[in-house]
Amino acid sequence: CSLYCHLYIAGITMKLALAVLSIAATASAFTSVGVPSRTVSRSVASSEVFAPVPVRAGTQLEAAKQTPHGGELVDLILKSDEEKEAAVAACTKELQLSPRQLCDVELIMNGGFSPITGFMDEETYKHVVDSVALPDGLIFGLPVVFDTDDEDLQPGDKVLLKDGDRNIATIEFTDKYLPNKAYECAKCYGTSEIEHPGSLMVATERGRYYMGGKITGLNLPVRDFPCKTPAEVRETLPDDVDVVAFQCRNPVHRAHYELFTRALDDPLIGENGVVLVHPTCGPTQADDIPGVVRYKTYEVLKEETHNDRTRWEYLPYSMHMAGPREAIQHMMIRKNFGCTHFIIGRDMAGSKSSVTGEDYYGAYDAQDFAKEKGPELGVTPVPSLNLVYTDEEGYVTADEAKERDLHEKKLSGTKFRQMLRGGEDIPEWFAFKSVVKVLRENA
């Protein structure tokens, strides 16, 4: 093995060792659930930071059937150059946002995370971790936190948040605290093992401290894929029919397409309902296809399969792979975008151990949790069909194929990727030609 190889392995080993130490440092959470995170400092009360800020008067809320989460759609983006210049002038420090932080800031300031108006302070963070709800009892799937290793950042600081040279937002920090990361992971992901991608992210990507703070929006990020705000998406949706959201983080293949188009025939969906295909294009797992490439596959498929009952938009969201709790987060976000229903697939936002390959969640855990919390959230979960392809009838449900003794065709994801890399023909029953072309051009 070359010197580079030895150094690479050593680097990976060191990173994992640090991750173990990071999680282990708070392992006391599992012997005493009531042990609180240690507060470094705090100032403004959470009720001031998380009061909803309504959108300006207009047609945004009339343009969709669904009520925003918490009752009002947050819009924190300043409208005039004078306001923006004054906000920037009040800042005493600058920070570059990580890709995950950039997604969170965008969804805070455009209302995707309504009703919150900033990163969660310690009280709010703990309440969401423990209760899947904000302190006032409003359901909320996962904590939204600003992480840092900076010892100099303190409550009261007003900081300009940037993406490269672009001013994105300002934040006024309200408190700074040491989170109990092992406890957070165990509650939110169901495990603190670093073999889980969410736990690994918390241990190795996030900084030592979390900070609460009020966001003021300046400019939306410039991305290779356009991400409309909730208000903009609502303006495009009909206000008199159901809107069912379909979430994905991978290219859409034939089975996915059949799944979300057939969902419109579900008895839970009213007459003339439409589907909003709303893929996440932010950071996901390390081995996932990059967001820009995924976006290109969606665009060619949108053109190829155009119909009036299917809408396509893109979401700047950072995946946690948190299974049931992430299903709630996705439902809440799509509620803010105007959706009344949400398709829940088998093992939604699920993940496997990077060591054993075992699933962390049961196939229907997310569906069951969504059914339990759906009425409280105000979004109706629509269980996805378990579709298979057959020689005789094309795509049918697995139950129908079994009852009629139809001949199923199967192609695993691993085999598909091998065929893709090897230049082999991909069967059209499995994948759209236009999508395959994009994937090969961007391999």
Side-chain angles (χ1 to χ4, degrees):
C1 186
S2 66
L3 175 60
Y4 175 82
C5 180
H6 284 299
L7 290 173
Y8 177 80
I9 294 171
I12 293 294
T13 304
M14 177 62 75
K15 191 168 186 179
L16 288 174
L18 289 172
V20 172
L21 288 172
S22 176
I23 291 291
T26 52
S28 61
F30 303 104
T31 56
S32 177
V33 176
V35 176
S37 305
R38 180 163 64 86
T39 303
V40 177
S41 51
R42 71 181 297 114
S43 57
V44 181
S46 61
S47 60
E48 297 175 9
V49 179
F50 300 102
V53 176
V55 295
R56 286 170 167 76
T59 62
Q60 292 98 326
L61 296 189
E62 287 104 65
K65 183 176 181 180
Q66 176 65 279
T67 302
H69 197 46
E72 294 179 299
L73 189 64
V74 167
D75 178 5
L76 304 177
I77 304 173
L78 299 177
K79 302 302 184 262
S80 71
D81 290 340
E82 291 76 15
E83 289 176 306
K84 293 178 182 180
E85 289 169 3
V88 171
C91 296
T92 57
K93 298 177 181 178
E94 292 184 2
L95 286 175
Q96 284 290 329
L97 294 165
S98 71
R100 289 185 182 273
Q101 289 173 336
L102 184 64
C103 289
D104 288 344
V105 169
E106 184 169 358
L107 289 175
I108 290 171
M109 67 186 191
N110 74 12
F113 280 147
S114 295
I116 68 171
T117 60
F119 285 99
M120 294 180 177
D121 62 15
E122 185 176 18
E123 177 191 353
T124 307
Y125 159 77
K126 286 182 177 180
H127 212 280
V128 172
V129 168
D130 280 329
S131 306
V132 200
L134 298 172
D136 65 1
L138 188 68
I139 188 170
F140 207 100
L142 292 167
V144 180
V145 297
F146 187 93
D147 65 288
T148 183
D149 284 318
D150 194 329
E151 299 287 348
D152 294 329
L153 285 178
Q154 295 298 326
D157 286 346
K158 294 183 178 180
V159 178
L160 177 62
L161 303 177
K162 305 190 69 164
D163 178 34
D165 294 330
R166 188 172 179 81
N167 296 338
I168 301 298
T170 67
I171 184 169
E172 182 174 1
F173 288 118
T174 57
D175 68 343
K176 187 174 187 177
Y177 53 100
L178 277 173
N180 190 327
K181 289 186 175 183
Y183 184 71
E184 174 190 342
C185 292
K187 295 290 285 187
C188 293
Y189 308 138
T191 179
S192 61
E193 296 175 349
I194 59 169
E195 293 93 332
H196 185 289
S199 295
L200 183 63
M201 178 272 292
V202 170
T204 64
E205 293 183 31
R206 281 189 182 166
R208 183 184 183 196
Y209 303 104
Y210 291 171
M211 298 188 72
K214 173 73 171 62
I215 289 290
T216 299
L218 301 174
N219 302 289
L220 293 170
V222 175
R223 301 183 183 276
D224 292 315
F225 46 92
C227 295
K228 290 182 181 177
T229 68
E232 289 170 339
V233 172
R234 283 171 168 268
E235 288 175 348
T236 70
L237 298 176
D239 60 1
D240 57 349
V241 300
D242 290 333
V243 180
V244 56
F246 177 73
Q247 144 70 24
C248 59
R249 71 173 210 281
N250 290 308
V252 171
H253 295 311
R254 288 277 181 181
H256 304 119
Y257 180 77
E258 294 290 333
L259 187 154
F260 66 69
T261 53
R262 295 186 188 199
L264 293 175
D265 298 324
D266 192 291
L268 293 169
I269 309 297
E271 188 177 357
N272 298 321
V274 299
V275 61
L276 175 66
V277 185
H278 204 203
T280 56
C281 292
T284 58
Q285 296 187 103
D287 59 349
D288 279 349
I289 294 169
V292 174
V293 178
R294 299 198 302 272
Y295 163 68
K296 292 178 180 178
T297 69
Y298 303 138
E299 283 294 290
V300 297
L301 188 57
K302 179 172 68 173
E303 293 301 317
E304 181 176 342
T305 63
H306 174 75
N307 74 72
D308 292 337
R309 295 186 68 190
T310 304
R311 316 295 175 89
W312 296 74
E313 300 294 348
Y314 304 104
L315 183 71
Y317 176 79
S318 168
M319 290 289 294
H320 292 249
M321 312 311 297
R325 290 196 52 161
E326 189 145 38
I328 300 303
Q329 196 83 334
H330 280 297
M331 291 170 69
M332 179 198 75
I333 292 170
R334 281 15 181 262
K335 178 183 180 181
N336 286 324
F337 277 86
C339 298
T340 57
H341 295 67
F342 187 84
I343 298 171
I344 301 281
R346 293 177 76 255
D347 195 26
M348 181 184 173
S351 56
K352 299 179 183 293
S353 167
S354 59
V355 175
T356 66
E358 302 253 335
D359 290 315
Y360 276 108
Y361 312 111
Y364 300 102
D365 286 357
Q367 287 188 7
D368 292 342
F369 198 50
K371 289 176 184 176
E372 176 190 339
K373 296 291 186 180
E376 178 184 353
L377 183 58
V379 178
T380 302
V382 180
S384 67
L385 297 171
N386 184 16
L387 297 176
V388 296
Y389 186 82
T390 64
D391 287 326
E392 298 88 348
E393 299 290 345
Y395 279 100
V396 298
T397 65
D399 289 342
E400 181 181 350
K402 185 176 180 180
E403 288 171 8
R404 297 175 58 188
D405 197 25
L406 302 178
H407 296 88
E408 295 182 31
K409 282 190 173 181
K410 294 183 180 181
L411 180 62
S412 70
T414 300
K415 179 62 177 175
F416 168 68
R417 289 188 289 272
Q418 290 173 349
M419 295 173 71
L420 199 63
R421 290 192 296 267
E424 299 178 54
D425 287 338
I426 307 295
E428 289 191 52
W429 64 262
F430 182 84
F432 292 90
K433 278 189 174 181
S434 58
V435 172
V436 170
K437 183 174 183 288
V438 170
L439 292 175
R440 282 185 166 145
E441 288 173 349
N442 293 272

